[in-house]
Amino acid sequence: MSPIQFATIAFVCILASAIGGALLRRRLPEAHVSGDSKDVIKLSIALVATMSALVLALLFASTRTSFERTSGLVSRLTADIAELDRVLKHYGPDAESIRAALRSEIQPMIDSIWRDEAVARGVKLDESKAPEEEVLFMLQDLQPANSKQRALQSRALQISTDLQQTQLALFAQPSDSISNTFLIVLIVWLMFIFGIFSMTAPANPTLFIVITMCILSASAAFYLILELGLPFGGLMQLSNEPLRNALK
């Protein structure tokens, strides 16, 4: 289920709860929603609302941190590729074939990370090897002629190993790290909150508009949290242009 679909379902469920609360008020005796009863209801709702706000804030902070960490890994991958190309350039003509191979592996590497985009273009992903393995094997086959080339080969091998580790870290990112059960419980809390809000106040257009906007804002929070949990898909995905243009 996409983030926009989940947010839409959350909006409909919470809005239905608010409408149900407004209809229920008409059937309740006035004594049930006034005086001491109203005070107890306010305190109970305040407790649940505080828990919901805290959980939403923690969820947003967690997914934002994960999104930024993934963005940092992509930036590191881009920098390593650019540095590897520079080291091979300094190595000399013997490394030109490796530089060409490195350039040819950029697009397969992008496809292996941005899988949804690659599948949408009809690209068949090769799971048999990592895109940068051919470059690593070619680096190992280099025959340095002097101490400078030996140092450059050693540095190139180190960068290539770092590339593999970074890509493995990106592969280890779960496609959806947020539990649906967790989000459903949070929606139930919000349904309870807005249902009680509607139940404890006489229905009027202003109240309906305010509650609807609040529900829309809560649903948008779900959307943002789920979008941040998909760094390589959705509307807020990380751009692959820096990686694509790393060697241009």
Side-chain angles (χ1 to χ4, degrees):
M1 184 182 299
S2 68
I4 189 65
Q5 290 174 330
F6 191 95
T8 301
I9 292 174
F11 175 80
V12 171
C13 290
I14 300 172
L15 183 61
S17 177
I19 294 173
L23 296 175
L24 181 61
R25 177 181 170 81
R26 299 178 181 180
R27 299 177 177 273
L28 290 176
E30 186 62 28
H32 288 193
V33 289
S34 62
D36 292 339
S37 296
K38 189 173 184 178
D39 292 338
V40 173
I41 290 173
K42 285 183 177 180
L43 290 174
S44 301
I45 288 301
L47 175 62
V48 179
T50 301
M51 291 192 301
S52 300
L54 180 61
V55 170
L56 277 173
L58 290 174
L59 274 175
F60 183 81
S62 175
T63 52
R64 179 63 183 176
T65 299
S66 177
F67 187 88
E68 290 177 348
R69 181 169 59 250
T70 303
S71 177
L73 288 173
V74 173
S75 298
R76 177 182 170 186
L77 193 67
T78 304
D80 282 346
I81 289 174
E83 184 180 1
L84 179 58
D85 182 69
R86 187 178 297 111
V87 169
L88 293 174
K89 180 180 180 181
H90 291 319
Y91 188 94
D94 291 343
E96 286 301 317
S97 60
I98 305 179
R99 294 182 68 196
L102 180 62
R103 281 173 164 75
S104 68
E105 294 294 350
I106 293 294
Q107 187 59 50
M109 185 182 297
I110 291 174
D111 291 338
S112 68
I113 298 173
W114 281 266
R115 291 172 175 265
D116 292 343
E117 183 178 320
V119 171
R121 298 200 320 269
V123 176
K124 293 184 178 180
L125 301 177
D126 183 6
E127 304 287 349
S128 62
K129 69 180 184 69
E132 72 281 359
E133 281 186 353
E134 181 180 349
V135 173
L136 178 60
F137 295 152
M138 294 176 71
L139 285 172
Q140 293 171 342
D141 291 337
L142 279 176
Q143 300 296 325
N146 50 55
S147 58
K148 175 184 176 182
Q149 288 188 338
R150 281 193 293 272
L152 290 172
Q153 182 194 30
S154 177
R155 177 56 182 161
L157 286 170
Q158 180 183 354
I159 296 172
S160 182
T161 301
D162 289 342
L163 278 172
Q164 283 190 318
Q165 293 176 345
T166 303
Q167 196 166 4
L168 285 174
L170 289 172
F171 286 154
Q173 297 286 335
S175 59
D176 186 0
S177 59
I178 303 174
S179 170
N180 286 334
T181 303
F182 196 84
L183 293 174
I184 290 171
V185 171
L186 190 52
I187 289 175
V188 171
W189 286 359
L190 292 173
M191 290 174 64
F192 174 72
I193 291 170
F194 285 98
I196 297 299
F197 281 165
S198 299
M199 189 182 70
T200 54
N204 60 72
T206 301
L207 179 66
F208 177 78
I209 292 173
V210 170
I211 287 182
T212 301
M213 294 305 296
C214 290
I215 295 173
L216 182 62
S217 299
S219 302
F222 283 109
Y223 171 77
L224 289 175
I225 290 169
L226 292 172
E227 275 287 341
L228 288 174
L230 299 172
F232 301 118
L235 298 178
M236 297 174 62
Q237 66 175 312
L238 295 170
S239 173
N240 55 31
E241 285 303 315
L243 184 57
R244 192 185 304 276
N245 299 326
L247 301 184
K248 290 185 179 180

